[in-house]
Amino acid sequence: MSGETKYLWMDGELKHWNEGSIHVMSHALHYGSSFFEGIKCYETSQGPAVFRLKEHMIRLHESASIYNMSLPFSVEELVKAVKDLIKVNNLKSCYIRPVAFYGYDTLGVHPKKCPIQIAIATFDWGAYLGEGAIENGVRVTISPWRKFHSSSLPTVAKAGGQYLNSILAAQDAQEKGYDEGLLLNGDGNIAEGAGQNIFIIKNNEIYTNAEDSCILMGITRETIIQLLMDLGYKVHIGKLSLGQLFNADEAFFTGTASEVTPIREVDKRSIGDGKPGAITQLIQETYFDVIKGRNNKYDHWLSYIK
Ligand SMILES: Cc1ncc(COP(=O)(O)O)c(C=O)c1O
C-alpha cells in the first residue's frame, strides 16, 4: 500500500512492515470480528503530536468489550506502543490504525479460544474525501442502504464487520459520482456519513445527533461540540431530519480522517449557497489550530512524541 512505513507493532513487538501477516483461516477474516481505531498524528512546533490518543484507545477497549473481547494490552500500553512506533519510524505526522481481532483457532461463529491479537500501523494517508474536499466541500448522496439499527448491532462500537454497511454506502456514492454517502437510520432520520458524523447550521445555531440516531460516537464530533460551545454557539443535540439538512445554511462532516469537511451539495441540491459557510470555516480554523498545537487551551488533547 502507499504510504507504508518501516515498522509496525504486533502483539507487543515491533516488526518489519512486511512481517505483519496472519493466517487466512483467522476468525476475523471470515466474520469481521475485529475492532479498530483511526487516529492522527500531526506535525507541531514541538514535534509530532497525536490527537486524543488516550480517548481512541479507550474506545478501542470499549468496542471490544461490547463483544466480550478483553484486550491483552491496557490503554496505557497501547498509548506507549503508538508513541514508540512513531519514534522508531521517525515520522513527523501520520495516520495510525490499531486493530484488535480474533486470530486462528476455530471457525465456529463463537470465537471461543481464538487468540486475541492486536496490531498497530502508522502510515501516510492523504485527504480522505479527496483533494480539495476540506477547502471546497464535498458532494453527498443519500444512501439507499439504511444505517443498521443499534438493536441489531452496537453502533457505538467500531467493529470491522459493522463497516460492511459503510462499504455499501461509499460504493454507491462513488458509482453515482458523489464524494460520500449519507445514511439515514431506520426511522428515516439522518444517521451519519459512511465514515463521518454530521453537523447542520441554521440561523447561527448548530445541530447534531446522538447515540439514539444509531451513530458512532465520534471523538471529532465530541471535540467539535466542545469547541463550538467554547466559541459561544448554541449546540442542539437531537434527531436530524432530511428537511433540516435541505434547509440548512451550512452543513459539515466530522471525523478523524475527514477532519472538518464542508458539505456543499446533497443529491444535486446546494446547501446554503453551495460554498463552505462562515461558521464551518471558523470551526475548521479552530480545529486545525487545536490539532496542530497552536492553541494552548486544548494542549491536553495532544500527546507529544518527545
Ligand atoms: C461510521 C463513522 N462515524 C463517525 C466517525 C467519526 O469518528 P471519529 O471522529 O472518532 O474519527 C467515523 C470515523 O471513524 C466513522 O467511521
Side-chain angles (χ1 to χ4, degrees), residues 56 59 158 163 192-197 216 218-221 254-256:
H56 279 283
R59 188 171 67 185
K158 207 166 164 58
Y163 273 78
E192 60 186 342
Q196 308 83 5
N197 294 118
L216 180 75
I219 290 168
T220 321
R221 168 191 174 278
T254 64
T256 299

Side-chain angles (χ1 to χ4, degrees), residues 202-215:
K202 182 76 180 172
N203 297 332
N204 293 320
E205 296 195 3
I206 322 289
Y207 298 80
T208 193
N209 52 13
E211 197 176 327
D212 60 0
S213 289
C214 302
I215 60 166

Side-chain angles (χ1 to χ4, degrees), residues 62-243:
E62 289 180 350
S63 297
S65 162
I66 297 174
Y67 283 86
N68 298 307
M69 180 196 272
S70 171
L71 300 187
F73 294 91
S74 67
V75 167
E76 290 69 30
E77 286 168 326
L78 294 172
V79 163
K80 182 175 179 304
V82 167
K83 290 181 172 178
D84 290 348
L85 192 56
I86 291 170
K87 267 188 232 161
V88 76
N89 278 326
N90 203 13
L91 296 166
K92 289 198 176 94
S93 62
C94 61
Y95 182 85
I96 303 155
R97 168 55 56 87
V99 59
F101 57 97
Y102 282 113
Y104 171 53
D105 184 68
T106 175
L107 261 198
V109 165
H110 191 302
K112 292 192 180 148
K113 289 189 197 142
C114 286
I116 298 167
Q117 295 191 249
I118 310 191
I120 305 173
T122 50
F123 54 100
D124 183 39
W125 198 351
Y128 182 74
L129 289 174
E131 287 309 317
I134 299 274
E135 299 79 11
N136 308 320
V138 288
R139 298 173 56 249
V140 167
T141 184
I142 306 298
S143 170
W145 300 98
R146 295 273 172 115
K147 175 81 195 204
F148 53 84
H149 194 265
S150 48
S151 60
S152 298
L153 290 166
T155 58
V156 293
K158 207 166 164 58
Q162 299 185 182
Y163 273 78
L164 290 170
N165 189 214
S166 290
I167 291 173
L168 288 171
Q171 284 177 334
D172 170 75
Q174 286 192 17
E175 274 160 22
K176 292 176 178 159
Y178 288 92
D179 301 303
E180 188 58 296
L182 180 65
L183 293 100
L184 305 183
N185 60 28
D187 303 336
N189 288 307
I190 295 169
E192 60 186 342
Q196 308 83 5
N197 294 118
I198 186 168
F199 285 71
I200 288 173
I201 301 167
K202 182 76 180 172
N203 297 332
N204 293 320
E205 296 195 3
I206 322 289
Y207 298 80
T208 193
N209 52 13
E211 197 176 327
D212 60 0
S213 289
C214 302
I215 60 166
L216 180 75
M217 297 299 276
I219 290 168
T220 321
R221 168 191 174 278
E222 197 242 311
T223 303
I224 296 297
I225 292 172
Q226 183 70 55
L227 295 178
L228 283 165
M229 290 192 319
D230 291 354
L231 286 167
Y233 286 99
K234 190 156 191 185
V235 182
H236 304 268
I237 298 179
K239 290 185 175 158
L240 295 179
S241 69
L242 260 185

